[in-house]
Amino acid sequence: MAKSEALVLDFWASPFAMRVKIALEEKGVEYETRHEDDLLGNKSELLLKSNPIHNKVPVLLHGDKPVCESLVILSYIDDEWPQPPFLPSSPYDRSVARFWADYVDKKLFEAGGEIWRAQGEATEAGKKELFEVLKNLEGTLGENDYFGGETFGFLDIVIIPLTSWFYAYECLGGFKIEEEFPKLSTWIKRCLQRQSVAKVLPEPVKLLEFVRMIRKMHGLE
Amino acid sequence: MAQENDIELLDFWVSPFGQRVRIALAEKGVDYEYKEQDLMNKSEFLLKSNPVYKQIPVLLHGGKPICQSLIIVEYIDEVWSDKPPLLPAEPYARANARFWADFTDKKVYECGTKLWKLKGEEQAAAKKEFIEIFKFLEGELGDKTFFGGETFGFIDVALVPFVAWFYAYETCAKFSIEEVCPKIVAWGKRCMERESVSKTLSDPDKVYEFVLFLKKRFGVE
């Protein structure tokens, strides 16, 4: 018999999987994780069965029912366990949070990827794009403590895992986030003080090692 | 100056994304001002309302812009909650609706575009992908009346505008969607019995003319 009702199909470095784990922690839901050791070569039967369309982590299995795509999973967690709410209460504010979550999904990880998956000019282009994305996000944050305003919420959960990759981007791109984006840096430190975030996010140096390993595999180091 | 309850829609006649919003507004019986945009010469107002993507559709409610078609549809569903809902109430059903709407966003338009933009082997590969995408959708639809079951809902709104593009896709890539996905085509015809859909979708002949115009513009022959 399963100890807990929720199972996350996981990969330690996946910022998308981190979102799900943080969300469950925030709601106080007991969950287990099952790590996919070989996402490139040999995906587990359970993963392929639970996510036949995309074959990707994360997947949340609640009872037997699979939920796929991290933003869909976040909304599901918020619907299923309403307290404390992740999304603001007004429809307009909710649409703004969803807009920026979607923007982050379309732009942030991709821009970072251009930095570490390449060299020279391509890395420079990636850096420029990343800076534009972070500038937009800092604009949205404004003077607030969190993207959710006074409380840690949906958009904070969406973005914070991606920041664990920043150290890798900094080392490969030759810049410091703290110098370029001080407000964002402060927000990152504030979020890292939350138990859910501190527990879930891997150490940035481990992600740098991971990135270096992949670069080596592709002859970039 | 926009009044508190004024609703405007910045849109482009043939856009399936804009049509999702028009269908949702019609389903809810909402009055609004439609403002056709010249996408080759974007207005200041459009650029100001959607500075991040500079794209249609944009819904303005009391002057406040909401962007990204599925986010707009969810906003409409939340604001006009006194009318029949587009998203189901139950969390797992909601997650399922969001997942398939997101699938439509990630796959249909891009693959459809490849059908008219590419030739030869590349087009053949795109055709194979297109059929695979629609077979997945057909699997989800099954023998139901609509994707949500007996009632027209979120996934139907997300997908149905692309039905007007079937003729163009079929003609460019020389195949019959009805032959490979008869349930989808039958579903499309059922949706067209709804006034919100029949009054919104473009005439397939006009869509095809538009695609020919795009082919010329992109130098595809």
Side-chain angles (χ1 to χ4, degrees):
Chain A
M1 197 64 188
K3 257 199 319 210
S4 52
E5 55 189 315
L7 176 66
V8 181
L9 303 186
D10 189 20
F11 185 70
W12 71 275
S14 161
F16 307 100
M18 290 175 217
R19 289 170 173 172
V20 175
K21 289 178 281 185
I22 291 171
L24 291 167
E25 293 280 340
E26 287 284 323
K27 298 283 191 179
V29 174
E30 264 189 46
Y31 67 98
E32 280 176 36
T33 60
R34 192 161 304 179
H35 194 257
E36 287 287 319
D37 293 328
D38 187 4
L39 281 176
L40 292 174
N42 196 17
K43 293 175 179 177
S44 75
E45 273 306 304
L46 183 59
L47 176 60
L48 297 176
K49 197 185 81 168
S50 309
N51 192 351
I53 305 290
H54 301 297
N55 299 150
K56 284 181 181 170
V57 295
V59 180
L60 173 69
L61 284 139
H62 188 200
D64 275 333
K65 298 183 294 192
V67 187
C68 307
E69 295 299 288
S70 63
L71 293 186
V72 175
I73 300 172
L74 283 195
S75 294
Y76 173 76
I77 291 171
D78 209 23
D79 283 343
E80 181 69 10
W81 295 280
Q83 297 306 323
F86 290 156
L87 279 168
S89 47
S90 98
Y92 188 74
D93 292 339
R94 292 157 79 88
S95 78
V96 171
R98 287 182 179 129
F99 174 86
W100 287 109
D102 175 71
Y103 173 79
V104 165
D105 257 13
K106 284 183 163 77
K107 303 273 188 183
L108 184 47
F109 201 55
E110 187 80 20
E114 282 178 45
I115 294 175
W116 67 261
R117 270 193 224 117
Q119 287 166 324
E121 259 178 49
T123 295
E124 271 309 300
K127 184 168 134 189
K128 197 162 165 248
E129 216 176 298
L130 180 72
F131 278 20
E132 193 187 298
V133 172
L134 295 181
K135 187 160 149 248
N136 278 334
L137 291 178
E138 242 191 9
T140 302
L141 180 63
E143 301 304 319
N144 292 324
D145 274 356
Y146 297 104
F147 282 93
E150 282 168 39
T151 46
F152 185 79
F154 192 78
L155 195 49
D156 302 283
I157 299 174
V158 166
I159 302 173
I160 195 67
L162 292 155
T163 68
S164 62
W165 284 66
F166 281 3
Y167 181 61
Y169 301 160
E170 286 173 328
C171 291
L172 292 164
F175 59 93
K176 285 240 173 295
I177 298 274
E178 186 143 28
E179 278 165 28
E180 308 283 345
F181 302 101
K183 282 188 187 163
L184 207 61
S185 260
T186 306
W187 166 79
I188 294 171
K189 290 187 184 123
R190 187 175 293 123
C191 289
L192 284 167
Q193 286 171 3
R194 290 184 86 78
Q195 204 179 35
S196 62
V197 178
K199 183 175 172 190
V200 167
L201 259 52
E203 280 172 45
V205 71
K206 289 212 158 72
L207 283 156
L208 174 65
E209 272 167 35
F210 178 68
V211 159
R212 288 224 133 106
M213 178 198 77
I214 302 182
R215 280 171 68 87
K216 220 170 182 173
M217 263 165 63
H218 292 271
L220 286 169
E221 292 271 302
Chain B
M1 199 77 230
Q3 296 301 298
E4 207 180 86
N5 289 322
D6 281 357
I7 300 162
E8 301 161 279
L9 177 63
L10 308 184
D11 200 352
F12 183 64
W13 69 278
V14 75
S15 162
F17 305 99
Q19 287 170 357
R20 289 167 166 176
V21 178
R22 284 178 252 163
I23 291 169
L25 289 166
E27 286 285 322
K28 300 282 189 173
V30 175
D31 280 325
Y32 63 99
E33 194 185 344
Y34 179 92
K35 291 184 165 164
E36 179 74 8
Q37 300 298 300
D38 180 355
L39 296 181
M40 297 207 272
N41 187 20
K42 291 177 179 176
S43 71
E44 272 309 303
F45 190 51
L46 172 59
L47 299 175
K48 199 185 78 168
S49 304
N50 190 352
V52 173
Y53 297 110
K54 307 175 171 60
Q55 272 175 6
I56 56 91
V58 182
L59 184 76
L60 291 120
H61 192 187
K64 294 196 294 190
I66 303 117
C67 307
Q68 295 299 92
S69 61
L70 291 182
I71 294 173
I72 301 172
V73 171
E74 237 184 294
Y75 174 81
I76 291 168
D77 204 30
E78 286 178 4
V79 171
W80 288 278
S81 53
D82 54 326
K83 297 287 156 69
L86 292 169
L87 272 168
E90 197 269 317
Y92 191 73
R94 288 165 79 80
N96 193 56
R98 288 191 174 114
F99 175 84
W100 285 102
D102 173 73
F103 176 81
T104 310
D105 252 8
K106 284 185 161 90
K107 303 279 187 179
V108 176
Y109 188 69
E110 202 178 302
C111 191
T113 300
K114 286 194 234 178
L115 289 178
W116 63 257
K117 245 187 179 170
L118 303 173
K119 291 183 300 178
E121 262 178 48
E122 285 184 313
Q123 189 193 53
K127 185 158 69 179
K128 194 161 168 259
E129 199 192 325
F130 188 88
I131 293 171
E132 194 182 87
I133 289 166
F134 274 87
K135 278 202 186 291
F136 274 137
L137 288 164
E138 209 176 48
E140 173 59 20
L141 175 66
D143 292 313
K144 302 196 297 275
T145 309
F146 299 110
F147 278 89
E150 282 308 304
T151 46
F152 185 78
F154 196 67
I155 307 173
D156 306 285
V157 173
L159 184 59
V160 80
F162 294 99
V163 170
W165 291 67
F166 282 0
Y167 173 63
Y169 294 153
E170 287 170 326
T171 310
C172 291
K174 299 189 180 23
F175 72 120
S176 160
I177 296 175
E178 183 151 25
E179 257 175 47
V180 284
C181 295
K183 287 183 180 170
I184 290 284
V185 171
W187 160 83
K189 291 185 177 142
R190 280 196 295 278
C191 291
M192 281 293 279
E193 288 168 14
R194 295 182 85 77
E195 207 178 315
S196 65
V197 177
S198 60
K199 284 203 160 155
T200 298
L201 261 52
S202 304
D203 189 308
D205 286 325
K206 295 219 154 66
V207 173
Y208 181 56
E209 259 173 54
F210 180 72
V211 164
L212 291 178
F213 160 76
L214 288 177
K215 275 164 80 92
K216 217 170 179 174
R217 222 180 116 216
F218 283 95
V220 182
E221 203 16 83

